[in-house]
Amino acid sequence: MRMPTPAVRRWIYRVATAGLAVAAVYGYVDGEPSAAWLLLAAAVTGMADVNTPGPDGGEE
């Protein structure tokens, strides 16, 4: 499997982070354990987004 371009990866990370937040707001994820996993996933996708190279090859 080929790795998507950095621009596609950044898009995926940002959509995933936003989707996790929306899921929490609408109550699709509830309870303390679920909330903790949701926050962990948002942190991981956020860090992945920040560390994905920007258009010029450096960080955006």
Side-chain angles (χ1 to χ4, degrees):
M1 184 173 147
R2 202 174 62 150
M3 179 66 95
T5 65
V8 171
R9 291 195 331 259
R10 279 192 311 276
W11 182 86
I12 291 169
Y13 298 142
R14 291 172 185 177
V15 169
T17 302
L20 292 169
V22 169
V25 168
Y26 281 102
Y28 294 123
V29 179
D30 58 352
E32 287 183 28
S34 298
W37 284 108
L38 181 69
L39 289 171
L40 175 64
V44 168
T45 58
M47 285 299 277
D49 180 30
V50 169
N51 289 304
T52 301
D56 62 353
E59 291 185 13
E60 198 173 5

